[in-house]
Amino acid sequence: DAGVIQSPRHEVTEMGQEVTLRCKPISGHDYLFWYRQTMMRGLELLIYFNNNVPIDDSGMPEDRFSAKMPNASFSTLKIQPSEPRDSAVYFCASSLGPGATEAFFGQGTRLTVV
Amino acid sequence: QQQVKQSPQSLIVQKGGISIINCAYENTAFDYFPWYQQFPGKGPALLIAIRPDVSEKKEGRFTISFNKSAKQFSLHIMDSQPGDSATYFCAASKTRNTGNQFYFGTGTSLTVIP
């Protein structure tokens, strides 16, 4: 398996633009997580899905952020409109069903909002 | 609210020395405590993990020490090598619940000087 695949690897956008980050989890994994990594706050959980259903989105910073998982092999994280403070590395991770002991991370998307 | 608190934020160690990173948690429902290692430009990857029914786990040069009564755990890297230079995250999860969330610390940037 190729692991968790994220795209793009790097994204530079202007303030106010819409940004869409993409993730393909490992096949067979029931859980998908979106994390944001910054120097100040480390790895923050934004939202996670179980069997394509959002379970907890309490980490989503504000309404400008939205996430979808239309099927078991694809998820998106959208920021609209983007702001400079959204600049960070965004990771997608997936894991097996309940009781899983490992989250497998993608390589991340480095987002820069200018 | 940070579920897992990690220190120090950064650490510089001479080659051959011992690196120690500490973490603390509050939620006694956590039953699984992994450490993740992240190299620049990569996603975090599972390094070693422990459950609270044991006080220590060792894998090669890496050891987790766990103090259930104090709700603290730490990672010890013996004979630290330049190749160990990375960011280390402690984490906690409740594997017996269906939530399956992984809560991460803020990370420790380790530099091992040759």
Side-chain angles (χ1 to χ4, degrees):
Chain A
D1 199 320
V4 176
I5 299 173
Q6 291 186 246
S7 65
R9 290 294 311 275
H10 302 274
E11 177 80 38
V12 180
T13 190
E14 291 186 348
M15 182 174 63
Q17 295 298 306
E18 177 179 295
V19 176
T20 299
L21 312 181
R22 298 172 176 79
C23 175
K24 176 179 169 40
I26 294 173
S27 177
H29 281 192
D30 294 334
Y31 286 83
L32 183 138
F33 308 86
W34 281 101
Y35 288 91
R36 178 170 67 177
Q37 183 178 19
T38 60
M39 288 293 293
M40 290 299 297
R41 302 176 72 117
L43 275 170
E44 298 176 271
L45 178 65
L46 301 177
I47 184 171
Y48 78 97
F49 296 82
N50 178 20
N51 291 322
N52 314 335
V53 176
I55 302 300
D56 186 351
D57 64 355
S58 60
M60 298 284 262
E62 45 196 280
D63 292 345
R64 297 184 297 107
F65 287 69
S66 63
K68 294 182 179 179
M69 192 165 187
N71 57 62
S73 59
F74 184 66
S75 177
T76 60
L77 178 67
K78 185 178 293 186
I79 308 173
Q80 165 63 18
S82 58
E83 297 182 2
R85 60 195 169 114
D86 302 330
S87 297
V89 181
Y90 291 81
F91 286 101
C92 174
S94 69
S95 70
L96 287 168
T101 55
E102 183 172 359
F104 294 82
F105 284 78
Q107 291 199 310
T109 295
R110 180 173 294 279
L111 173 65
T112 303
V113 183
V114 298
Chain B
Q1 179 181 352
Q2 197 73 30
Q3 296 267 1
V4 180
K5 296 182 180 178
Q6 182 172 348
S7 63
Q9 186 173 9
S10 62
L11 182 61
I12 300 174
V13 175
Q14 292 278 353
K15 178 182 176 181
I18 302 174
S19 303
I20 301 174
I21 305 170
N22 300 300
C23 284
Y25 65 98
E26 286 297 325
N27 191 338
T28 55
F30 290 140
D31 62 359
Y32 183 70
F33 300 89
W35 285 88
Y36 279 73
Q37 180 187 54
Q38 182 185 28
F39 292 107
K42 304 292 186 181
L46 180 64
L47 177 65
I48 186 173
I50 196 169
R51 290 196 181 270
D53 52 346
V54 297
S55 61
E56 186 176 282
K57 183 172 182 180
K58 184 175 181 179
E59 290 184 2
R61 296 184 293 107
F62 299 89
T63 300
I64 301 177
S65 297
F66 190 87
N67 186 328
K68 188 174 180 179
S69 61
K71 292 187 282 188
Q72 295 175 347
F73 58 111
S74 59
L75 176 69
H76 296 239
I77 306 174
M78 311 299 288
D79 187 27
S80 299
Q81 299 296 312
D84 298 330
S85 297
T87 299
Y88 292 81
F89 292 94
C90 60
S93 68
K94 295 175 277 187
T95 61
R96 293 190 178 89
N97 290 350
T98 58
N100 213 37
Q101 292 186 43
F102 294 87
Y103 297 91
F104 287 87
T106 50
T108 296
S109 176
L110 171 65
T111 302
V112 181
I113 300 172

